[in-house]
Amino acid sequence: MSRINLRRLFAVMLKEIYQLRRDRLTYAMIVGIPAMQLLLFGYAINLDVRHLPAALIDQAQSAHSRQLSDELQQSQVFDFRIAGHDPAAVNDLLRRGQVKVALVIPSDFERRVAMGTTPYLQLIVDGTDQVVQQTARQVARFPVVDYLRGDPVTPSASPIEVVSYYNPQRQAPLNTVPGLIGAILTLTLVMFTAIALVRERERGNLEFLITTPLSSAELTVGKVLPFIAIGLAQTTLILLLGHWIFDVPVRGGLFDLYLASLVFIIASLALGILLSTLVASQFQAMQAAILTFLPQLLLSGFMFPFEGMPRPAQWLAELLPLTHFVRLARGIMLRDAALGELWVDFAAMALFAGVAMVVATWRVRMRLD
Amino acid sequence: MTTTSAEHQSEPAIVAQGLTRRFGEFTAVDDLALQVPRGQVYGFLGPNGCGKSTTIRMLCGLLTPSAGTVRVLDLDVPRQARALKARIGYMTQTFSLYRDLSVIENLRFVARLYGFDHHRARQRLDTLIAIYRLAELTGQLAGTLSGGQRQRLALAAAVLNEPELLFLDEPTSAVDPQSRRDFWEALFALADAGTTLLVSTHYMDEAERCHRLAILQRGRLMAEGTPQHLKHTLPGVSLLVECATPRRAQQALVGLETVRSCAQIGASLRVLVSDANAEPAIREHLRAAGIDARVATAEANLEDVFVAATHREGQAS
């Protein structure tokens, strides 16, 4: 389409770097957002629930019932803060959000255990939180009868044995950090370039640029290049922080990981440039950036399992670069996969980057009409 | 590229025919015919919204005309707009360089855009910094410059590529009178060096300085020629009415058919009449109205020309 003259390309690149150097806010965002997000996500996204506020309604008041509640308390899953006798109080406690779970031990608990009839116990759960519900269901599988009879509880007593590959300790940051690289990159980079071109238009700079021999390809590529370096620096920062704070490993090839990151960075920057050709102001650019960020965050498999989504959502997710990057990053970092083994995701991401860049360049018209 | 232009010296820098630009229902520029000779300062005079900027943008190839043909520096515009861009300069109405870059960073950026290598850029920048008195300001951010300084920087950037043709869109709208005078000195220096300049303005004193003028109104060419020619061919005559009660005299005259405009200047009235022999009639009319006044013929000025040219349109519509 339009030619690229290296000197002009260099001119735009250098200008962008000079401007960036003076732009304290962007500067702070480059380092601040990754660090903040890593800490937030690393510590907050923890599906391994502990210390759920719980109420204990022990109507049995027997040795066994106390033993049972003590045991559950020690498991650290439940934190029995409120003890009572009246099951009707549970309603209020749940509604006010004072507890998430209530364990009701009926008065005929001993008799039921002795007779071997079920259920012995009732676990009332705040169903508004999916994670709490799942946790409660896991606890419910706890072999109470065996335990109370004094039989040894061995893993083989449970019909299904769960073995976790790659993350045997079930550490949440291990699952989170690889995808988080992508989430942070797309959030910051799309925003940077989405604003960059609109700002140039708002400040009248574009009116001057279009009167010079500068081509749209030189302008867009020149703008993207410095941000590629920034994106790679951010990737490094997240990897280092992830390693130092959460012990997240890179089991696969570092080169593969950076190559995947590079293409993902280009895809995000091109998306940002494309957005900036569609909006009228910096404010709209910010909104548009968030508008593209949310579906990527929610559908990519970073936060919620891809397999759990309905088919149309999965198809949509396949269009988003973050979906592919999350797979690549998890594969390379945790499963020691080679890029070649994951080439489909790599190709999909590269295709997105290429198409977005071409469309963006085509949309950046060096004319007024 | 400047060496080849010598053989074209006699041909006009800009030739436009039937130039028209519509934005939806609105016609911004209407069937404009233009010839701008080389090496001159050519002025576009007209009120805001008369189509000056739109015309300039079409001449640069930034806007596609709805109709009409444009040849600029022997290139077909907008078809050859890209080739044209290297040979023209454009100073925009509002400051369009980077406020968050220093003066020297802005100039270096523009030099690179025009493909200057390091050595050539340095030479050219040194020259420009001297001409436009920017030496003290090189390290300063463009956003912190005063109006006049900013304008000198903008002009330096616009002429960095030594353009054969320089467009200036209301270049002096944000500066003080002294800066304006200096600025025009700089423009004449460029014209002396052979650059063709096209300046749009709504200041009469600036229009007066141009070699040739086009008066635009609602996208149409109302008058064209040298300021002298325009003043000499003014249809009608300008009268100076001096009396003790100029406002009363104004009220008495406004209704007359021959009177085109009536402007109070201090204690006197400047009356533009369409009938060249209307002086006795005006005098009589004032006496009949009981106003004791001295009426004399005044030398026509550009304001008269402008009012006459744009008033005709006002009556027509």
Side-chain angles (χ1 to χ4, degrees):
Chain A
M1 49 209 303
S2 53
R3 288 159 292 179
I4 290 205
N5 169 299
L6 283 181
R7 188 166 282 142
R8 283 199 289 267
L9 185 70
F10 181 65
V12 176
M13 232 177 84
L14 213 58
K15 177 213 70 134
E16 212 63 40
I17 292 170
Y18 283 143
Q19 284 183 304
L20 213 59
R21 214 179 43 188
R22 298 213 173 87
D23 187 354
R24 293 264 169 88
L25 187 67
T26 304
Y27 223 63
M29 274 166 60
I30 290 169
V31 179
I33 288 185
M36 192 183 73
Q37 299 239 12
L38 188 80
L39 292 176
L40 282 177
F41 278 96
Y43 283 120
I45 299 192
N46 194 342
L47 300 182
D48 203 7
V49 180
R50 289 188 197 282
H51 304 296
L52 280 177
L56 176 65
I57 312 294
D58 186 355
Q59 293 175 314
Q61 295 287 347
S62 65
H64 274 144
S65 74
R66 263 188 298 276
Q67 194 187 351
L68 179 74
S69 56
D70 281 354
E71 202 61 37
L72 282 173
Q73 174 89 25
Q74 269 161 29
S75 76
Q76 294 189 350
V77 178
F78 296 146
D79 180 8
F80 291 114
R81 293 175 186 179
I82 295 171
H85 302 285
D86 184 9
V90 171
N91 243 332
D92 279 343
L93 291 170
L94 280 175
R95 196 180 53 248
R96 291 197 211 105
Q98 281 175 292
V99 297
K100 294 274 190 191
V101 186
L103 178 68
V104 181
I105 306 177
S107 47
D108 56 353
F109 174 64
E110 295 287 349
R111 193 166 53 86
R112 288 187 186 215
V113 171
M115 284 167 60
T117 46
T118 50
Y120 318 104
L121 304 160
Q122 194 176 29
L123 205 54
I124 302 168
V125 174
D126 177 358
T128 58
D129 193 327
Q130 211 178 351
V131 179
V132 171
Q133 209 170 19
Q134 275 172 7
T135 309
R137 284 188 192 285
Q138 280 168 16
V139 172
R141 289 197 209 104
F142 191 69
V144 182
V145 180
D146 297 349
Y147 176 74
L148 291 175
R149 282 178 182 159
D151 297 346
V153 180
T154 54
S156 58
S158 184
I160 300 168
E161 186 190 12
V162 179
V163 181
S164 176
Y165 272 30
Y166 314 118
N167 189 6
Q169 298 92 3
R170 299 201 306 150
Q171 286 176 313
L174 217 65
N175 296 326
T176 319
V177 170
L180 191 59
I181 298 174
I184 291 170
L185 286 177
T186 193
L187 175 66
T188 51
L189 296 178
V190 171
M191 209 137 70
F192 289 154
T193 44
I195 291 170
L197 226 107
V198 175
R199 187 166 56 190
E200 218 138 6
R201 200 185 315 143
E202 272 188 341
R203 293 183 182 174
N205 307 133
L206 212 58
E207 205 188 342
F208 172 75
L209 291 182
I210 57 176
T211 67
T212 72
L214 187 69
S215 74
S216 53
E218 286 154 5
L219 180 62
T220 48
V221 176
K223 265 186 170 304
V224 161
L225 285 177
F227 285 106
I228 289 180
I230 287 171
L232 290 173
Q234 284 184 318
T235 309
T236 310
L237 181 71
I238 303 163
L239 285 176
L240 287 175
L241 288 178
H243 176 71
W244 287 331
I245 305 176
F246 299 115
D247 270 332
V248 178
V250 181
R251 297 188 180 127
L254 208 53
F255 178 77
D256 284 3
L257 183 61
Y258 270 91
L259 196 60
S261 303
L262 175 71
V263 174
F264 180 69
I265 286 165
I266 296 172
S268 298
L269 293 171
L271 179 64
I273 299 256
L274 187 59
L275 290 180
S276 76
T277 65
L278 300 171
V279 297
S281 66
Q282 291 191 56
F283 179 67
Q284 282 186 9
M286 292 284 276
Q287 287 180 314
I290 289 169
L291 206 68
T292 63
F293 177 62
L294 281 180
Q296 294 218 76
L297 194 69
L298 299 179
L299 299 181
S300 63
F302 166 58
M303 291 190 74
F304 308 111
F306 186 84
E307 290 70 21
M309 297 190 302
R311 291 305 284 274
Q314 290 187 352
W315 293 330
L316 187 62
E318 293 289 352
L319 297 176
L320 306 172
L322 186 59
T323 306
H324 303 288
F325 182 78
V326 167
R327 290 179 195 156
L328 289 170
R330 281 183 182 160
I332 296 167
M333 288 174 69
L334 304 180
R335 301 200 306 266
D336 189 17
L339 206 49
E341 295 172 290
L342 306 168
W343 69 271
V344 176
D345 284 308
F346 186 74
M349 213 167 60
L351 185 70
F352 182 97
V355 170
M357 199 67 204
V358 168
V359 176
T361 304
W362 174 75
R363 290 270 319 166
V364 179
R365 290 300 186 76
M366 300 309 271
R367 324 175 44 103
L368 289 168
D369 52 4
Chain B
M1 54 188 75
T2 40
T3 50
T4 57
S5 64
E7 59 194 271
H8 301 132
Q9 280 305 316
S10 54
E11 294 173 29
I14 300 172
V15 184
Q17 265 153 4
L19 191 59
T20 303
R21 174 70 202 205
R22 285 181 285 271
F23 296 101
E25 292 286 289
F26 174 67
T27 305
V29 176
D30 191 0
D31 195 23
L32 207 66
L34 271 181
Q35 282 216 0
V36 177
R38 290 191 190 241
Q40 292 203 343
V41 180
Y42 193 95
F44 270 6
L45 180 64
N48 289 331
C50 71
K52 289 177 302 209
S53 296
T54 306
T55 304
I56 289 180
R57 285 168 178 175
M58 283 194 285
L59 296 178
C60 297
L62 300 179
L63 265 180
T64 310
S66 307
T69 59
V70 183
R71 271 183 78 75
V72 180
L73 303 175
D74 306 306
L75 295 171
D76 282 330
V77 176
R79 193 173 59 81
Q80 294 171 293
R82 216 186 141 77
L84 181 67
K85 280 179 180 179
R87 295 167 60 191
I88 60 167
Y90 183 7
M91 188 168 152
T92 49
Q93 195 167 347
T94 49
F95 185 72
S96 59
L97 293 172
Y98 294 91
R99 286 157 201 263
D100 50 352
L101 291 187
S102 71
V103 168
I104 193 75
E105 283 166 354
N106 265 301
L107 289 174
R108 279 189 195 136
F109 171 62
V110 178
R112 286 191 199 103
L113 285 188
Y114 283 107
F116 282 42
D117 62 35
H118 184 71
H119 179 69
R120 209 171 132 226
R122 200 169 162 173
Q123 275 188 331
R124 182 69 183 141
L125 260 46
D126 283 346
T127 312
L128 289 172
I129 285 167
I131 295 177
Y132 298 109
R133 294 179 285 123
L134 297 168
E136 316 272 86
L137 307 168
T138 49
Q140 205 172 319
L141 292 187
T144 65
L145 298 176
S146 73
Q149 293 168 337
R150 215 177 269 184
Q151 192 196 32
R152 297 203 305 267
L153 172 61
L155 184 60
V159 302
L160 196 141
N161 60 326
E162 299 184 70
E164 296 161 61
L165 173 61
L166 178 62
F167 293 95
L168 302 108
D169 193 359
E170 293 187 12
T172 57
S173 45
V175 296
D176 59 88
Q178 178 59 43
S179 297
R180 265 173 69 190
R181 256 197 306 280
D182 293 345
F183 185 75
W184 274 85
E185 291 308 313
L187 295 193
F188 280 114
L190 286 166
D192 283 348
T195 312
T196 308
L197 288 90
L198 196 153
V199 190
S200 80
T201 182
H202 48 223
Y203 294 118
M204 293 304 156
D205 61 321
E206 291 192 347
E208 192 94 45
R209 289 162 172 265
C210 297
H211 293 112
R212 285 184 83 84
L213 268 184
I215 296 178
L216 298 179
Q217 161 102 343
R218 290 182 215 173
R220 302 177 72 168
L221 184 64
M222 306 309 293
E224 205 269 349
T226 65
Q228 284 308 316
H229 172 79
L230 287 170
K231 281 185 276 190
H232 285 150
T233 56
L234 175 72
V237 69
S238 205
L239 302 174
L240 206 63
V241 177
E242 287 177 313
C243 62
T245 54
R247 289 201 67 76
R248 264 188 66 208
Q250 189 172 15
Q251 280 161 14
L253 292 173
V254 164
L256 290 181
E257 197 181 324
T258 181
V259 173
R260 275 184 177 157
S261 82
C262 210
Q264 185 170 355
I265 296 159
S268 57
L269 277 184
R270 193 174 178 94
V271 185
L272 183 66
V273 290
S274 52
D275 179 2
N277 304 313
E279 192 184 331
I282 294 286
R283 195 174 285 130
E284 188 54 42
H285 185 79
L286 285 171
R287 190 173 304 143
I291 299 164
D292 184 26
R294 270 184 45 217
V295 179
T297 309
E299 199 183 322
N301 64 20
L302 263 185
E303 181 122 24
D304 300 331
V305 173
F306 181 71
V307 170
T310 54
H311 201 69
R312 218 181 312 153
E313 165 76 4
Q315 280 176 335
S317 60

